[in-house]
Amino acid sequence: MMNWFPKYRPYTGNLDTTPVATNEYLPFTQSAILGIQHVLAMFGATVLAPILMGFDANLAIMMSGICTILFFLMTGGRVPSYLGSSFAFIGVVAAATAHATGSGPNPNLGVALGGIIACGILYAVIGFLVMATGTRWIEKLMPPVVTGAVVMIIGLNLAPVTVASVAGKPFELWMTLITVLCMGMIAVFARGFMQRLLLLLGLVLAYVIYAVVSNGFGLGTPIDFAKIGEAAWFGIPNFSSPIFDTNAMLIIAPVAFILVAENLGHIKAVGAMTGQNLTPYLGRAFVADGIATSLSAGVGGTGMTTYGENIGVMAVTRVYSTIIFVVAGVFAIFLGLSPKFGALIQTIPSAVLTGASIVVFGLITVAGAKIWIDNKVNFANNKNLMVAAVTIILGTGNFGLMIGEFDLGGIGTATFVAIVLNWFLGLKQGDENNTQEHTV
């Protein structure tokens, strides 16, 4: 009978030439440095997501650490992953709470939390089904043509509201573009690990430029640094209680299928890098991520997902040890317990956040297209064309399907239609990768 945890052994190879396997561990100092690096990699996105949704950023960071350790325990240390704030919730949270993205604290936070808990439960149920029945059905239900389209609409659905807070404000619009340029320069001209921190370093650079121009030259609204000095170094984040509103739960719960698509892609990517077959642990990963999402929302935190940024770090370092993620989780918990850090986050200007949002949502959209490219989705096949085309327009146009008085929202509706349409149109062809050419 297979043990829940692998048998860990010390790494004895040469770091310059030999990868570190998932069941190997490095000396404490090296593990600590690599763990901090993983926190830095996820930091920009994990902080940005709660700010855009009006959640407490400190709590999101702390819960990301707790949930990463929980994920390690529930997957038996078999899957190297970091859990951070999911951007998949931004659109549906905005729809369910009528909260403008990036406009400060969310007054209907409790309603969003109840919906995220429902999503986590649905996600965990899917995981238990996978553990009981295997992974073949989930891969058939959500082939690359579906997962690619669903991931794309996460970014496209948010496009219309991304620039709302800076529209009609010339200075803010210019600073938004400068933020985009800062991130673009780091993405293209930086090398090594710095390139993986394009969100964080770009945000910091744009923040400094904004401070110099506004506080130094009197353009725009100056940044108020007083709150940073007044905040304590250590303290407990602001917890919140969920409110279980049926309409909000129906809008937010379908995000579970998006998280399934993300996690499925991430595990396959890590498996390809490590040369290990991680598919047998897919069910464990779904259950762990689902429970972590509900746990986080239960105290006021964001929904969780496995992070592509940290997969990138593993690709660069070739260190796949799951022990590293426990170290990263502990460091994130301590970081989240600093109110001074939270006060600093609150001073980030809306123009800088908008610029970061443009980059993040654009990257999410392109990631969906990359799924199609990597899996060689055949768009000479009319079924694939119809599934992708309809899904993208429904999601981008925020086409919210009404079921009685309940609105599924643009992302939820598009995800549902993508799955159903792929199944229905596939009844005739039988093979979604049919290579026979058709024209529309």
Side-chain angles (χ1 to χ4, degrees):
M1 180 179 178
M2 182 180 68
N3 293 326
W4 187 258
F5 286 94
K7 291 183 179 179
Y8 285 97
R9 61 177 186 267
Y11 176 75
T12 57
N14 184 339
L15 283 173
D16 292 331
T17 58
T18 310
V20 180
T22 56
N23 64 337
E24 295 179 323
Y25 60 88
L26 293 164
F28 176 78
T29 302
Q30 291 180 332
S31 295
I33 294 173
L34 287 166
I36 292 172
Q37 180 174 249
H38 273 291
V39 172
L40 292 175
M42 67 83 200
F43 182 87
T46 293
V47 168
L48 184 59
I51 292 174
L52 295 177
M53 290 187 286
F55 286 49
D56 184 273
N58 275 56
L59 182 59
I61 288 289
M62 187 184 79
M63 290 309 299
S64 77
I66 292 173
C67 290
T68 295
I69 295 172
L70 177 66
F71 184 89
F72 169 83
L73 296 173
M74 295 191 68
T75 59
R78 305 280 180 171
V79 182
S81 286
Y82 191 95
L83 296 193
S85 304
S86 173
F87 283 83
F89 289 98
I90 297 175
V92 290
V93 165
T97 62
H99 174 260
T101 303
S103 61
N106 192 328
N108 296 316
L109 179 62
V111 172
L113 298 177
I116 294 173
I117 289 174
C119 175
I121 293 172
L122 176 59
Y123 191 8
V125 168
I126 294 172
F128 282 120
L129 285 174
V130 171
M131 291 178 70
T133 62
T135 62
R136 184 175 178 84
W137 68 272
I138 196 75
E139 294 180 273
K140 188 171 183 178
L141 185 69
M142 300 186 73
V145 65
V146 171
T147 56
V150 168
V151 171
M152 285 186 76
I153 62 172
I154 299 172
L156 292 173
N157 180 265
L158 295 162
V161 298
T162 300
V163 298
S165 63
V166 298
K169 303 174 183 176
F171 175 76
E172 304 295 320
L173 287 168
W174 278 109
M175 284 307 307
T176 296
L177 293 179
I178 288 173
T179 302
V180 172
L181 181 61
C182 288
M183 294 184 175
M185 287 191 302
I186 293 170
V188 174
F189 298 116
R191 291 291 179 266
F193 181 59
M194 285 186 66
Q195 196 174 54
R196 302 303 308 176
L197 298 178
L198 67 97
L199 286 174
L200 176 61
L201 296 181
L203 198 70
V204 171
L205 181 57
Y207 181 94
V208 171
I209 294 173
Y210 189 101
V212 170
V213 174
S214 62
N215 293 59
F217 295 97
L219 299 175
T221 304
I223 299 174
D224 182 9
F225 294 104
K227 293 182 179 179
I228 301 176
E230 296 169 359
W233 280 103
F234 297 103
I236 303 299
N238 297 316
F239 295 104
S240 300
S241 300
I243 297 172
F244 296 98
D245 177 82
T246 305
N247 189 47
M249 288 191 288
L250 283 176
I251 292 173
I252 298 174
V255 172
F257 294 102
I258 299 172
L259 299 180
V260 165
E262 288 180 346
N263 209 335
L264 178 65
H266 287 173
I267 287 179
K268 286 187 173 296
V270 174
M273 286 191 301
T274 60
Q276 295 178 257
N277 180 20
L278 299 180
T279 302
Y281 310 115
L282 197 60
R284 289 192 198 182
F286 289 170
V287 172
D289 200 357
I291 292 176
T293 290
S294 294
L295 173 65
S296 176
V299 297
T302 56
M304 294 289 159
T305 189
T306 51
Y307 253 40
E309 288 89 338
N310 299 90
I311 293 175
V313 172
M314 285 188 283
V316 171
T317 62
R318 297 201 302 164
V319 177
Y320 309 112
S321 172
T322 53
I323 295 293
I324 300 296
F325 292 93
V326 177
V327 177
V330 171
F331 184 74
I333 292 170
F334 281 108
L335 192 62
L337 292 171
S338 174
K340 192 172 288 291
F341 163 72
L344 174 64
I345 294 301
Q346 294 302 318
T347 66
I348 300 175
S350 60
V352 175
L353 288 176
T354 299
S357 300
I358 290 171
V359 173
V360 169
F361 301 153
L363 289 174
I364 292 172
T365 303
V366 173
K370 188 174 183 297
I371 290 175
W372 290 340
I373 294 170
D374 291 346
N375 290 278
K376 297 181 174 61
V377 174
N378 177 26
F379 285 110
N381 181 333
N382 273 1
K383 189 206 76 170
N384 289 340
L385 272 178
M386 289 299 297
V387 170
V390 172
T391 302
I392 290 172
I393 296 302
L394 290 179
T396 305
N398 201 28
F399 185 96
L401 186 65
M402 302 295 293
I403 302 177
E405 297 181 356
F406 305 117
D407 186 352
L408 282 177
I411 294 176
T413 299
T415 302
F416 173 75
V417 170
I419 293 172
V420 172
L421 198 60
N422 178 72
W423 165 76
F424 180 73
L425 296 180
L427 291 177
K428 178 178 182 296
Q429 293 183 347
D431 179 8
E432 64 270 12
N433 293 316
N434 190 339
T435 57
Q436 182 179 353
E437 292 192 7
H438 301 272
T439 56
V440 172

